[in-house]
Amino acid sequence: MNFLKTFVFMLLLLVPAAGCAGMSLQEKGIPKIEGLIAVRGQTVHTMARQTDGSWAEPITNGVVLVRDGKVVAVGPASSVEIPANAHVIEAAVVTPGLIDAHSVVGLSGWLNYDHDQDQLERSAPMQPELDALDAYNAREPLIEWVRSFGVTILHTGHAPGQLISGQTFIVKTRGDNVDAAVLKPKMMVACTLGSAALRKEGQSPGTRAKQMAMLRQEFIRARAYEEKIAAAQADPEKDPPARDLAKEVLLRVLSGETPLMISAHTSVDIQNALRLQKELGIQVVLEGGSECYDFIDALLEQKIQVIIHPTMMRASGAGKNSSMETAGKLVAAGVPVAMGSGYESYVPKTRVVLWEAAIACAYGCPFSDALGLITASAAQLLGISDRVGSLEVGKDGDMALYDGDPFEYTTHCIGTVIDGDVVSDLVR
Amino acid sequence: MGLFHRVQPWDIVSTIPHLFPGLNEISRRLPLIAEARPKSRSCAYQFVVVVLLLFVGNLIMAADTIAFTGARLMPVSGPVIEDGVLVVRGGKIESIGTSRDVVIPTGAIRIDASGKIIIPGLICTHSHIGMGGGGDSSGPIQPECWTLDSVNVRAASLERARAGGLTLVNQMPGSGHLISGRTTYLKLRKGGTVDELLIKDSEGWPMGGLKMANGTNSQRSSPFPGTRAKSAALVREAYVKAQEYRDKIARAEGDPDKMPERDLRMEALVEALDGKRIVHHHTHRHDDILTVLRLRDEFGFQVVLHHVSEAWKVVDEIAASGAPCSLIVIDSPGGKLEARDISMENGVVLERAGVNVAFHTDDFITDSRLFLRSAALAVRSGMSREGALRALTLSGAEMLGLEGRTGSLDPGKDADFAILSGDPFSVYTQVLETWVEGEQVFDRSDPAQRLFAVGGRGAGDDQAYHCCGERQEQR
């Protein structure tokens, strides 16, 4: 436990303002570490890829040097000199900061009352103009909760539950307000197929066939809108159509600029997602995907990436045939896959991706691939791998620190670092 | 059988598979003996088998003995035994000890469990597997309802529970009522009818507790209470009536003319008052916990505190009360206001205060397949490993009043146990086999059963059994 004592001692030196024991570290309480920090790990999982695409071996007795928020050196202690002026933090195991590839944290608050639930607008089935950025509560306690287990990045937004529920975005789990947290303001357009997005009697969509018909029609309308704009540009006599924010978003999906993230679980709904991708030629990311183990060839053929459901998702309803082995199967088949915490309507109000990846690992997904689901592979899928996901020179100084195998039930996360700042010093 | 039925001689005959549950296992392993196994419910045929058992008893009984050798045994009631031998006979544990100390009876089937760990079968003190419900929405107090009338023992959730190493569950109605009904203690024997899974008391009655709840779940629109004080008042009123009902029966001294009209509601409450039916009480907030203890003191029922999210705030009061706590472990706080302050440290804090602690899955809230994980996360937060394993087994048995027959690996107790691939508190450990009363009810090496352990197509489908507990082909 020596490293732990050292770590705590270092924190005491470094974090005089964070004296509110047990309380969350408010952003204003997070000390800005000027200059260099050096994180020493008995094992450092850099999650870098070698030239042949395989995972780089973890570094034994490794050092990660971070200056002004960016990684400036990574390697074994024998080759990376720690400057005398660096603040040193020690841990048994160091990983890149964890990425939750699909969350609702920040929109779906922990109290589960109307005033903290902003993850789903129910006034209409298709509202792509909704922007998660406008709904994100940077001071939501669940952000601090997942951060204390090493989560530094959330791809968050509107929950499954409407045919098109809005646009997602990416934040770091820091910042007192959304502007301080945001990493990528627009990420995907969230779509739900299947029972979760069926509406009450008399309201559409009331069936799966209606869901597909409505989506097709809406994308056709978006095309027509685009053609009207083009026609007006070509002919000064013609008036352009009134601006339509929803259609503008759908056009970004049609152009391939923005992926359509389709939440689908059952075999029928996954087939519908695959069909829609073929019909529209758009970029589709399958989210959830309980029964996607039956469609691996199609996923590969149609280049569909998967944000797989949390491993411990309840085996009921649309997810009744979910398998704890799916992540491992997708990885083995070469399907690009990341893991998200998904959406929970009751308890736990959010899942912790660290634990979900741990169970995936215990159920057949090799360790590095399982860690990849919530680090490098997730960054790749979300298109943010130039910034985060692995510990390599030039990338953000985002790290999670553990006192043992991160996946073990009895291991603790002892610290979380974002942009070189210690944002959590809780031992959990 | 059940409510209006007392034990008849024929019942004893029909429970033969349970009296000698090892028979099924033996028959699986020894095809010759399988020929002699009863295959129909024909009473005459079963009678012949009884006679056979009596006269050729020695031979059969020797074959009814199974010895598990080489495993690390964690009896819970005593120290860990390396290179242990566990001898099971007639559904009971016959002996346990090191390979030096235990003499394996001749003729016993030997199962090599080297490199594995054997722990008592896990006991979930609060489960909703099989989806058995209690009262309806007509009112807040419905102790006349009984989950055994609605539980589906062919549900996939029972298979998942077996795959998680569970051998006994307290099948509970929900928490949307102050008193939602009678709970049912189910042994997870193989069986297609609820009767095959029941635990009977000495008089032949199915055993179970009484589910109660306070806090926000049971506060609803009228006729349900709208406030905490009203919740307590309604409960108080119900128990006062039950006291009067009981007194009236006592005063009647058996005279039918003076007896009150039979009232199923009152009967369940009287059983609680008399300590014959343990109250399993859902409660989260610190003040709600104290309200449960106050009502217990007023009426004298025996209570187990369930969930107890804010136990850490009133740990001294709980310890002083002597009430045991059955905890839930949730991956994040909240989900509702009264669970906002739930702490993973509840286990360690209560353990250190000397409170008897168990865990529960509340399945489908947490997954029975990962029940070991709940205790492991408590260990992560500081609870002792010994205490955490006890909390999954013997402590749970105590909270159901069944510690005399299950919960630890002791001679004379039911042969209920799980065989693990490694450390009970490691994420990488698998439940390899689960045994109830000497019969294997889960075997991970069988692909059809493994499906329920890991999930996949078909894992969500409810299953069918024929009469005597042998698995039918999957539908």
Side-chain angles (χ1 to χ4, degrees), chain A residues 115-303:
Chain A
H115 72 265
D116 76 347
Q117 297 306 300
D118 279 293
Q119 77 280 11
L120 196 64
E121 170 65 45
R122 292 182 166 84
S123 55
M126 290 186 283
Q127 304 193 56
E129 67 274 27
L130 303 184
D131 227 322
L133 191 137
D134 294 323
Y136 183 76
N137 173 12
R139 299 178 193 231
E140 159 61 39
L142 289 178
I143 297 169
E144 184 272 341
W145 178 257
V146 298
R147 187 174 65 198
S148 71
F149 293 98
V151 176
T152 56
I153 301 272
L154 300 170
H155 170 219
T156 188
H158 301 93
Q162 295 292 349
L163 199 48
I164 297 179
S165 55
Q167 300 164 78
T168 62
F169 81 137
I170 298 179
V171 290
K172 290 206 175 187
T173 54
R174 67 175 306 171
D176 282 344
N177 57 64
V178 66
D179 296 320
V182 66
L183 181 73
K184 196 170 176 180
K186 288 186 192 297
M187 186 60 228
M188 300 187 192
V189 171
C191 167
T192 309
L193 293 177
S195 53
L198 295 178
R199 306 182 101 213
K200 287 178 203 155
E201 200 166 333
Q203 288 184 312
S204 290
T207 62
R208 288 179 159 85
K210 187 73 173 182
Q211 287 179 338
M212 289 294 280
M214 288 171 74
L215 283 172
R216 286 183 184 117
Q217 187 66 62
E218 202 63 11
F219 279 106
I220 287 168
R221 287 196 186 110
R223 277 276 185 239
Y225 172 74
E226 185 182 42
E227 282 159 12
K228 273 185 192 166
I229 294 172
Q233 280 169 346
D235 181 356
E237 297 292 304
K238 286 185 176 165
D239 287 335
R243 241 187 111 185
D244 187 324
L245 295 178
K247 291 192 176 61
E248 286 178 11
V249 175
L250 295 184
L251 284 174
R252 288 208 302 274
V253 172
L254 286 171
S255 73
E257 179 190 340
T258 303
L260 186 67
M261 178 179 72
I262 303 181
S263 296
H265 284 283
T266 69
S267 163
V268 171
D269 299 317
I270 292 170
Q271 289 173 64
N272 284 350
L274 292 167
R275 192 176 310 113
L276 199 68
Q277 191 280 325
K278 271 190 178 166
E279 287 176 12
L280 300 174
I282 57 176
Q283 194 186 339
V284 162
V285 171
L286 177 65
E287 191 272 335
S290 285
E291 297 180 11
C292 74
Y293 43 69
D294 282 346
F295 301 94
I296 286 176
D297 290 344
L299 293 170
L300 285 167
E301 189 188 325
Q302 293 179 235
K303 295 189 167 48

Side-chain angles (χ1 to χ4, degrees), chain B residues 43 47 103 119 124 154 163 188-189 203 238 295 319 338 406 437:
Chain B
C43 293
F47 186 74
V103 179
I119 60 171
C124 181
R154 300 179 191 223
L188 296 182
R189 303 174 190 112
E203 295 172 31
L295 288 166
E338 62 182 6
T406 189
E437 295 170 5

Side-chain angles (χ1 to χ4, degrees), chain A residues 45 308 310-312 323-329 331 339 353-374 405-409, chain B residues 426-430 444 450:
Chain A
H45 296 280
I308 196 66
T311 322
M312 292 185 276
S323 166
M324 296 198 268
E325 296 183 322
T326 306
K329 282 181 183 165
V331 163
M339 185 169 281
V353 283
L354 169 68
W355 289 332
E356 303 298 333
I359 302 294
C361 181
Y363 285 75
C365 189
F367 179 90
S368 291
D369 294 313
L371 189 56
L373 294 171
I374 53 170
D405 175 355
F407 288 156
E408 262 301 359
Y409 291 143
Chain B
S426 169
V427 69
Y428 303 113
T429 291
Q430 294 169 346
R444 196 181 163 100
R450 186 179 178 280

